[in-house]
């Protein structure tokens, strides 16, 4: 039984959807490494990597959740950490195809590493970092979608962008 799992992603910003997956993951694993990907295709992040790491750190006790970054292949990073479980979250059917593809590619690259999926809770299945940013930008209240300590920095960043034009 694995004690450690790696939960990789962009986390730009951390949402209550991510929090839900991590909390559910902690029922199965003793510790989770939340690993912020540095080289994902997504360009133009709103929060710096340091800010994202800090958001995650503030949310969880250090002895249960560790934060880290990685670039390159996830399976190489997992091996370097001596970890053979990758944790991912599933929302709607739309996630399924991409996640299936990625899990199979990773399995091909590293048959010893297993991807474990956790289903979003019913209150979280429609939350994504992208959508939260879009809705917040139009002035809507997003307090139920992100942790309280993410809310102000998120609104401030978006205001600063709008002020720039
Ligand atoms: P990525 O760019 O790798 O998709 P994200 O930060 O968007 O990074 O998501 C990381 C993981 O968390 C993915 O497996 C994604 O499906 C999952 N996830 C994100 N939001 C939710 C949510 N609301 N419910 C369940 N899983 C989620």
């Amino acid at each position: 039984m694995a004690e450690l799992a790696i939960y990789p992603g962009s986390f730009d910003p951390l949402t209550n959807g991510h929090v839900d997956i991590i909390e559910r993951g902690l029922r199965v694993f003793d510790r989770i490494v939340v690993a912020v990907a540095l080289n994902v295709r997504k360009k133009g992040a709103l929060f710096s990597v340091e800010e994202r790491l800090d958001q995650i750190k503030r949310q969880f006790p250090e002895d249960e959740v560790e934060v880290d970054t990685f670039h390159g292949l996830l399976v190489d990073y997992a091996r370097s950490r001596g970890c053979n479980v990758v944790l991912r979250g599933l929302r709607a059917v739309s996630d399924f195809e991409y996640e299936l593809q990625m899990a199979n590619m990773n399995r091909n690259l590293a048959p010893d590493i297993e991807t474990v999926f956790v289903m979003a809770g019913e209150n979280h299945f429609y939350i994504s970092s992208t959508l939260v940013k879009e809705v917040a930008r139009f002035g809507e209240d997003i307090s139920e979608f992100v942790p309280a300590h993410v809310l102000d920095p998120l609104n401030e960043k978006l205001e600063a962008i709008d002020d720039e034009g």
Side-chain angles (χ1 to χ4, degrees):
M1 184 59 192
E3 291 164 3
L4 183 74
I6 291 173
Y7 180 38
S10 320
F11 308 102
D12 183 39
L14 179 72
T15 69
N16 287 340
H18 297 126
V19 172
D20 184 45
I21 297 299
I22 296 167
E23 283 173 349
R24 287 171 197 277
L26 284 170
R27 295 188 193 153
V28 183
F29 303 104
D30 292 334
R31 279 171 61 73
I32 292 177
V33 178
V34 181
V36 176
L38 298 177
N39 60 345
V40 273
R41 281 168 288 161
K42 294 176 187 173
K43 291 253 182 295
L46 187 64
F47 287 94
S48 71
V49 170
E50 286 69 30
E51 287 168 329
R52 287 182 258 162
L53 294 173
D54 194 56
Q55 289 169 2
I56 302 159
K57 265 196 259 179
R58 283 186 65 174
Q59 185 69 30
F60 298 99
E62 238 175 287
D63 57 333
E64 293 179 355
V65 173
E66 181 190 326
V67 299
D68 199 2
T69 58
F70 74 102
H71 56 85
L73 285 176
L74 174 63
V75 291
D76 290 338
Y77 170 70
R79 282 210 176 109
S80 77
R81 297 291 318 243
C83 178
N84 60 1
V85 179
V86 171
L87 179 69
R88 293 287 286 178
L90 275 182
R91 285 163 290 199
V93 193
S94 50
D95 276 343
F96 184 79
E97 208 171 314
Y98 174 63
E99 293 290 343
L100 178 74
Q101 229 178 17
M102 207 160 53
N104 277 314
M105 177 57 84
N106 285 338
R107 183 182 284 161
N108 226 284
L109 296 168
D112 51 317
I113 295 177
E114 202 60 54
T115 305
V116 171
F117 292 98
V118 171
M119 291 275 192
E122 55 185 337
N123 296 331
H124 300 109
F125 73 93
Y126 54 91
I127 303 176
S128 71
S129 298
T130 307
L131 214 51
V132 164
K133 283 182 280 193
E134 268 176 35
V135 172
R137 195 153 182 188
F138 290 106
E140 290 297 324
D141 177 15
I142 49 146
S143 53
E144 61 181 299
F145 305 138
V146 296
H149 61 87
V150 172
L151 193 60
D152 286 345
L154 177 55
N155 284 323
E156 281 160 22
K157 288 241 181 216
L158 292 170
E159 270 168 34
I161 290 175
D162 281 344
D163 287 348
E164 280 166 24

